[in-house]
Amino acid sequence: MVFECYLIPKMTPKFKPELVRRPRRLRRSVALRRLISETVIRTDDLIAPLFVRDGTGQPEDVESMPGVVRHTIDTLVETCRALAGLGIPAVALFPCLAAQLKDAEGSRSLDEEGLILRAVRAVRKACPDLLVITDIALDPYTTHGHDGLLTADGRDVDNDRTVEVLARMAVLHASAGVSLVAPSDMMDGRVGAIRSALDESGQTETGILAYSAKYASAYYGPFRDAVGSARVEGAPYLDKGTYQLNPSNRREARMEIELDVREGADILMIKPAGPYLDIIREVRDAIDLPVAAYQVSGEYAQIHAAARLGWLDYKRCRDESLLAIKRAGADMILTYFAQEVAESSGAP
Ligand code: PBG
């Protein structure tokens, strides 16, 4: 499409075009470019995803995510203090359970003294102003790694039985002090069920950050290594295609978004972020609720991997990847780069 205002008046092949419009004029210096910059990444926009495990000692490195670790509750608290000090408003916590604590029913998801709730309480106590977000899904707790309970034949996830557990889980997390629960399971009707359960238990102020358009993406690989939900020995690749969205679909994402709005979501999330910028833009234009995007583990890993090979400039790619997500319309970004980006942008 050509916008009329940019056409050069009376341009004919005979004459040298009169360049009335020279867009390069405003790109001539750093100061000019700063002045006309349309998008900025602020520390206020960042949410840091963090992994926590039981036990003591040093954090364990996650091999496929350089710089990301599985914290103990102690080091998690220290890191949260540092993040709060940098001005990062929120953290999203993910538990990594020891294999012997997992079962087919994911029963530890409802354990009041379980890892995630102990972690939430410790962080809330140490950093009362930092928002704590927790994932509502069963994958860290199940031996099969699916986000829910399986049907009797074991071939699919049982939607309604799963939703009941998720709603109970959300109530437990809310009582432990999380500000936002984040259902990442993609079951039908879970946002509505969680909203009613929270309201019935008097937790009307706990919000829902809904993973509304979560795609069945190959970019989650390193995350599954981090929480150990990758696959059971000998089992086929963990296919979540019966509940997560097909990467080819856009209208279906739109429908998921509309359902979550109707069911009471407070913030809508798109995940992954970089490969789904069109969906972020679509949601931004269609809906007035805040929009979040999750720059997932694989997006993080690929920038690190290429930079290690000397094929990409690490910092520039990191910053450009975040800028693109913001420019597409995300108000906030969950990103494993959060801490270093906040550090490099100076004090809040
Ligand atoms: C599962 C969950 C996943 C991520 C967040 N929550 C992975 C999955 O659906 O298997 C992925 C995050 C990332 O890749 O960084 N409930």
Side-chain angles (χ1 to χ4, degrees):
M1 172 158 78
V2 177
F3 294 97
E4 289 291 329
C5 61
Y6 294 128
L7 288 177
I8 296 144
K10 299 201 186 92
M11 199 176 81
T12 66
K14 257 202 254 171
F15 300 104
K16 191 173 165 224
E18 289 172 52
L19 281 175
V20 177
R21 288 274 158 216
R22 285 181 180 271
R24 288 185 59 198
R25 235 176 244 144
L26 295 181
R27 298 179 203 138
R28 279 170 55 81
S29 68
V30 174
L32 273 167
R33 293 197 292 271
R34 278 173 50 213
L35 201 62
I36 64 159
S37 153
E38 298 175 33
T39 312
V40 273
I41 298 292
R42 306 173 311 156
T43 300
D44 289 347
D45 308 325
L46 303 174
I47 299 172
L50 298 169
F51 300 105
V52 60
R53 64 176 174 91
D54 265 313
T56 52
Q58 287 308 303
E60 296 165 4
D61 292 335
V62 177
E63 208 186 326
S64 48
M65 300 175 74
V68 172
V69 298
R70 295 183 199 90
H71 285 288
T72 63
I73 292 186
D74 289 345
T75 66
L76 176 75
V77 167
E78 265 170 50
T79 298
C80 286
R81 280 207 185 95
L83 294 169
L86 285 164
I88 290 190
V91 293
L93 304 184
F94 297 94
C96 317
L97 256 71
Q100 70 269 19
L101 296 180
K102 301 186 185 193
D103 57 33
E105 297 283 291
S107 22
R108 296 281 173 163
S109 59
L110 297 175
D111 178 0
E112 282 182 53
E113 286 312 310
L115 169 63
I116 191 70
L117 296 184
R118 280 181 282 121
V120 169
R121 289 188 205 108
V123 173
R124 293 289 300 138
K125 193 164 162 211
C127 315
D129 295 330
L130 184 69
L131 302 174
V132 177
I133 302 169
T134 49
D135 226 47
I136 303 297
L138 298 185
D139 53 302
Y141 306 98
T142 53
T143 34
H144 43 73
H146 277 293
D147 290 26
L149 307 175
L150 301 187
T151 49
D153 64 7
R155 295 178 57 174
D156 196 5
V157 171
D158 183 332
N159 193 88
D160 298 6
R161 224 157 55 88
T162 300
V163 169
E164 275 175 40
V165 178
L166 298 175
R168 288 168 62 195
M169 199 174 161
V171 171
L172 282 179
H173 288 218
S175 338
V178 307
S179 303
L180 297 163
V181 289
S184 68
D185 55 290
M186 288 300 279
M187 295 302 119
D188 293 335
R190 90 281 205 215
V191 169
I194 289 173
R195 187 68 269 156
S196 332
L198 289 172
D199 291 351
E200 275 161 31
S201 72
Q203 314 275 4
T204 52
E205 302 311 312
T206 308
I208 301 178
L209 165 60
Y211 285 72
S212 302
K214 177 174 177 179
Y215 284 86
S217 170
Y219 286 90
Y220 306 148
F223 174 97
R224 293 181 188 170
D225 292 340
V227 299
S229 67
R231 67 172 79 188
V232 198
E233 202 98 38
Y237 177 76
L238 189 56
D239 182 357
K240 300 192 175 186
T242 69
Y243 42 106
Q244 300 178 348
L245 286 167
N246 179 341
S248 74
N249 292 358
R250 181 171 168 184
R251 295 192 306 264
E252 201 183 355
R254 174 85 177 233
M255 180 183 64
E256 285 286 2
I257 295 281
E258 282 166 9
L259 285 171
D260 283 2
V261 172
R262 253 185 269 162
E263 290 177 33
D266 297 283
I267 302 175
L268 305 165
M269 182 144 72
I270 290 90
K271 173 187 176 186
Y276 296 88
L277 297 180
D278 58 328
I279 310 296
I280 297 176
R281 169 50 56 191
E282 173 131 1
V283 175
R284 172 67 299 145
D285 287 346
I287 314 273
D288 287 332
L289 288 175
V291 174
Y294 196 149
Q295 184 183 47
V296 301
S297 55
E299 299 178 70
Y300 177 83
Q302 68 186 359
I303 292 176
H304 271 281
R308 281 191 174 189
L309 286 165
W311 292 351
L312 285 178
D313 180 305
Y314 173 72
K315 283 200 177 127
R316 294 186 58 208
C317 282
R318 175 195 73 191
D319 293 349
E320 187 177 330
S321 71
L322 293 169
L323 206 55
I325 296 166
K326 192 79 196 293
R327 193 195 59 234
D331 298 297
M332 63 196 90
I333 308 174
L334 278 87
T335 172
Y336 300 98
F337 293 122
Q339 179 161 4
E340 57 180 83
V341 168
E343 280 164 355
S344 68
S345 69

